[in-house]
Amino acid sequence: MVPAASSKRVHELWTREGHTGVDPAMTDSGPRLGERLPRRETYRHGDLRRALLRAGVELARDGGPDAVVLREATRRVGVAPNAAYRHFTDRQALLEAVCAVAQSELAVAMEDQMAQVGTPGENPGEEAAWARLRAVGHGYLRFARLEPGLFRTAFSVPGDMSLARDPELAGQSGNTAFQLLSSTLDELAETGALSRERRVGAEVLAWSAVHGLATLLIDGPLREADPDTAEAMGARVISMVEQGL
Amino acid sequence: MVPAASSKRVHELWTREGHTGVDPAMTDSGPRLGERLPRRETYRHGDLRRALLRAGVELARDGGPDAVVLREATRRVGVAPNAAYRHFTDRQALLEAVCAVAQSELAVAMEDQMAQVGTPGENPGEEAAWARLRAVGHGYLRFARLEPGLFRTAFSVPGDMSLARDPELAGQSGNTAFQLLSSTLDELAETGALSRERRVGAEVLAWSAVHGLATLLIDGPLREADPDTAEAMGARVISMVEQGL
DNA sequence: TGTACATCAGTGAACGCGCGTTCACTGATGTAC
DNA sequence: TGTACATCAGTGAACGCGCGTTCACTGATGTAC
């Protein structure tokens, strides 16, 4: 519909190799970042890669990773099934791109919660650091409950800790979900709230607790829990982490 | 091959409606429970339902819930694809039966760990109660790491906490995984190690932490961790639960 | 005890489905002269 | 500025695959007489 801004440079900013944080085009559709004049307004389609990615994200949102079906994405965009192969080598490549978006959105959800506490610069001290840790956890749980399909997609693609710092998976601050957790724990160590010894490997402790609750709530036996109960469980799990660290 | 013992009563003991604990026929193949003489040695096949279930469990073991493919199960048993419909209403019914076996095996894995500590009768007191709680967690993690396919299958079928006490999902003691956790926490409350207030909802805390680590280790970003690291992470998560409860 | 019959576990063939992917193509776009 | 040409994004048709499921059947088993 609306042709996207697309000098090659700008175009690349919004494709797999370049973006940081959640691609605004996943929700908007107007031209972006007009620092350079677009050399042309459209390709044949306009910007099929991004359109397919957006369709893939919607599929993941509604049905998780298995719902990211290449033919359905092309159908939604109004294009022949094989057109996708101009932009993704195969279905797996599309799924991986969608997964990266999902991870970015997770990081953004965590940043949103953290913003309510303020940055360490704005709001220093031990108690604020603990509050930021709680915000990390609540953001994670909130995203899982509000976007279960994307949450599942974020963890669906083979990939290990080597990606934990991949800027492609980052939120608006340029940090990934893992980095947000990690730097908050660093801060707790710096304020002295956490001994050096206890700091080591603390990521796994916090992450396990919150990830487990998220999984049990959205896919597991706790899936029938109402939002208030889920919220209360989240608060208790997070408080267990605080005490147990 | 080997015809199974099968008076109607005995037969039902090993089918969906009747069994407790892990069906030994999932691993053995000889006749069982000979208290009654079999009225006949075989059906056409012998005992197709159980054979299909066993094949389904092997598929789940190797590839998780998605690998439980009805046609493949019949192929392995050496029977026409539609023969399965004499014993399962559809593929979902087979998957649910496999899921029940997986949950039983999880409970058994936990019982095995707990047996090393001894029952509350054999080994009473607060410290032993904590040791039993650690055993519950280690059994859970051990099963996830040794049988990731079955672990994923155990949590793959829609079903909520109303099944938490379903004898069909129980281990050898007749308790489900959830009941093993729950009664261990009860014991901690009785010895005074856990106040009434902290006892409430404690299942979710312990379960979340351990389930989260299991998920991250087998399907998630920690999947590359070597066994020793995984073991150490498990110990730390469990110790966090102890301190955080 | 022997025979006719009913049951129902398993067969054989076929169905429609939707998927991912490949092929040779076409025609709008951007570029070289 | 105008024309010929190369590029390559998207087309149209088709492929093979494996799945779950349905149908009318057959023939061994257990039962009624």
Side-chain angles (χ1 to χ4, degrees):
Chain A
M1 296 294 177
V2 181
S6 51
S7 76
K8 195 165 185 217
R9 159 121 184 68
V10 171
H11 176 75
E12 279 178 359
L13 270 179
W14 302 123
T15 54
R16 188 154 199 283
E17 289 66 40
H19 89 271
T20 350
V22 174
D23 180 349
M26 291 298 108
T27 43
D28 300 359
S29 52
R32 306 271 326 157
L33 279 191
E35 343 108 19
R36 287 198 184 200
L37 285 179
R39 282 209 232 137
R40 59 185 174 196
E41 282 295 297
T42 79
Y43 295 153
R44 287 268 194 132
H45 171 274
D47 193 347
L48 184 54
R49 183 190 162 90
R50 212 167 75 207
L52 287 171
L53 182 50
R54 202 184 311 166
V57 169
E58 289 316 304
L59 290 170
R61 198 188 298 282
D62 292 345
D66 292 346
V68 180
V69 165
L70 195 144
R71 288 184 88 108
E72 178 60 23
T74 59
R75 232 174 272 135
R76 294 201 173 190
V77 172
V79 105
N82 49 356
Y85 289 85
R86 290 282 161 200
H87 303 279
F88 299 94
T89 59
D90 55 14
R91 188 232 165 201
Q92 185 63 18
L94 172 61
L95 181 56
E96 281 168 17
V98 171
C99 169
V101 172
Q103 294 209 40
S104 285
E105 291 212 7
L106 169 60
V108 169
M110 291 163 68
E111 288 167 347
D112 286 351
Q113 289 293 311
M114 293 176 80
Q116 297 181 15
V117 183
T119 64
E122 292 161 1
N123 188 4
E126 189 175 318
E127 180 42 42
W130 284 115
R132 270 184 287 277
L133 183 67
R134 288 192 295 270
V136 163
H138 278 118
Y140 196 93
L141 287 171
R142 192 180 149 80
F143 182 72
R145 282 192 287 129
L146 260 45
E147 296 288 4
L150 290 182
F151 181 82
R152 278 190 275 134
T153 306
F155 291 97
S156 69
V157 169
D160 59 16
M161 290 307 293
S162 64
L163 301 175
R165 291 174 167 71
D166 187 338
E168 193 187 319
L169 314 178
Q172 281 160 347
S173 67
N175 291 301
T176 63
F178 184 81
Q179 286 173 307
L180 293 170
L181 170 59
S182 203
S183 59
T184 305
L185 291 168
D186 283 343
E187 195 196 342
L188 282 166
E190 283 156 20
T191 62
L194 211 58
S195 71
R196 294 272 162 228
E197 192 186 313
R198 289 184 165 276
R199 170 66 189 84
V200 178
E203 284 92 346
V204 173
L205 302 187
W207 194 5
S208 290
V210 168
H211 186 78
L213 180 61
T215 305
L216 292 174
L217 281 172
I218 70 179
D219 277 332
L222 302 182
R223 65 166 70 80
E224 304 286 346
D226 61 83
D228 287 350
T229 309
E231 184 70 36
M233 287 174 173
R236 280 203 68 187
V237 164
I238 288 169
S239 123
M240 170 186 74
V241 171
E242 280 190 272
Q243 302 207 359
L245 276 183
Chain B
M1 296 291 174
V2 180
S6 51
S7 77
K8 195 164 185 218
R9 162 125 183 65
V10 171
H11 175 76
E12 279 178 359
L13 270 179
W14 302 122
T15 54
R16 186 156 202 281
E17 289 67 41
H19 89 273
T20 348
V22 174
D23 182 350
M26 292 300 107
T27 42
D28 300 357
S29 53
R32 307 268 327 155
L33 279 192
E35 342 108 17
R36 287 200 186 199
L37 286 178
R39 281 209 235 138
R40 57 186 178 200
E41 281 295 298
T42 79
Y43 294 155
R44 288 265 193 136
H45 170 273
D47 194 346
L48 184 53
R49 183 191 164 91
R50 212 166 74 207
L52 287 171
L53 182 50
R54 203 183 312 163
V57 169
E58 289 317 303
L59 291 169
R61 198 187 301 281
D62 292 344
D66 292 347
V68 180
V69 165
L70 195 144
R71 288 184 87 108
E72 178 60 24
T74 59
R75 232 175 272 132
R76 295 201 171 189
V77 171
V79 106
N82 49 358
Y85 289 85
R86 290 281 162 203
H87 302 280
F88 298 95
T89 59
D90 55 16
R91 188 234 165 201
Q92 183 64 18
L94 172 61
L95 181 57
E96 282 168 17
V98 171
C99 168
V101 171
Q103 296 210 39
S104 284
E105 290 212 9
L106 168 60
V108 169
M110 292 164 68
E111 287 167 347
D112 285 352
Q113 289 294 310
M114 293 177 81
Q116 296 181 16
V117 184
T119 62
E122 293 161 3
N123 188 1
E126 190 175 319
E127 182 40 45
W130 283 115
R132 270 184 286 276
L133 182 66
R134 289 192 295 271
V136 163
H138 278 118
Y140 197 95
L141 287 170
R142 191 179 150 79
F143 182 71
R145 281 191 288 129
L146 260 45
E147 295 288 4
L150 290 183
F151 182 82
R152 279 190 275 132
T153 306
F155 290 96
S156 68
V157 168
D160 58 16
M161 289 306 293
S162 64
L163 302 176
R165 291 174 167 72
D166 188 338
E168 193 186 319
L169 315 178
Q172 281 159 347
S173 67
N175 291 302
T176 62
F178 184 80
Q179 287 174 307
L180 293 171
L181 170 58
S182 201
S183 58
T184 305
L185 292 168
D186 283 343
E187 194 194 343
L188 283 167
E190 283 157 21
T191 63
L194 211 59
S195 71
R196 294 273 159 226
E197 192 185 312
R198 288 184 165 277
R199 170 65 189 82
V200 178
E203 284 93 345
V204 172
L205 303 187
W207 196 4
S208 291
V210 168
H211 187 77
L213 180 61
T215 305
L216 293 173
L217 281 171
I218 70 178
D219 277 332
L222 303 182
R223 64 165 72 77
E224 304 286 346
D226 61 82
D228 287 350
T229 309
E231 183 70 35
M233 287 175 173
R236 279 204 67 189
V237 164
I238 288 169
S239 121
M240 171 185 73
V241 171
E242 280 190 271
Q243 301 205 1
L245 276 183

